[in-house]
Amino acid sequence: DQDREHLNHPVASRVITCTGRQRERPFGIGIDPRIKASVILTGGSFGFDGQWFPPGTPPVMFVHGTADEINPYSASTSMFARAQSPKYLLTVQGGSHLGVYVTPPWEPQVARAMVAFFDRYLKGDPTAADRLATAGNEPGYSLQRG
């Protein structure tokens, strides 16, 4: 159905279980080698065991609205501070918990930033870094890099 159509998108298919969190796996402890880049949307690390962002964690981008009514914006800023480089924090001024991902004017801009991030780290696209910087520095958005 149309609601699931987005799951066939080449970017969406890579955005599953991608927290960069070290955890028990069937063959030991470590980072899932299949994950090459991750985006964490309105994240919070509370309630999960394990080490977050150990050495070797793939590139990560956090996306969070400053008016999130479910998870405080500080949840993403604290995870960003702990994450390994390369890391990005896309801040959406006034964005709510879900609105930034599903409603204009936020959704298209957030999608452009995420696609540019994945193009850079999954495809090695040389134009992606500039596109990410542009998407993350439009009025109402800010992009931190570390």
Side-chain angles (χ1 to χ4, degrees):
D1 72 43
Q2 287 182 333
D3 291 336
R4 295 179 181 248
E5 196 69 28
H6 66 280
L7 295 176
N8 294 323
H9 188 278
V11 171
S13 66
R14 292 176 175 89
V15 186
I16 52 171
T17 320
C18 33
T19 60
R21 183 172 65 86
Q22 185 173 3
R23 61 180 176 81
E24 289 286 340
R25 295 191 349 196
F27 303 106
I29 296 175
I31 297 170
D32 188 328
R34 297 171 296 174
I35 304 299
K36 304 298 182 200
S38 65
V39 173
I40 299 177
L41 308 175
T42 65
S45 61
F46 42 88
F48 297 102
D49 296 329
Q51 178 187 0
W52 289 85
F53 310 110
T57 299
V60 61
M61 183 168 85
F62 302 91
V63 182
H64 211 127
T66 60
D68 189 323
E69 66 281 8
I70 307 295
N71 291 331
Y73 173 68
S74 61
S76 284
T77 59
S78 67
M79 288 196 309
F80 176 77
R82 291 183 286 168
Q84 305 290 316
S85 291
K87 60 184 179 178
Y88 300 83
L89 172 60
L90 178 65
T91 300
V92 183
Q93 295 298 322
S96 66
H97 184 69
L98 293 177
V100 298
Y101 311 111
V102 297
T103 57
W106 295 312
E107 182 272 334
Q109 191 70 11
V110 169
R112 276 191 289 279
M114 290 173 53
V115 167
F117 172 81
F118 284 123
D119 283 351
R120 177 166 185 187
Y121 291 102
L122 298 179
K123 293 181 176 180
D125 181 341
T127 68
D130 287 341
R131 288 187 291 119
L132 179 57
T134 299
N137 289 301
E138 295 290 328
Y141 302 85
S142 64
L143 182 69
Q144 291 176 268
R145 180 166 191 234

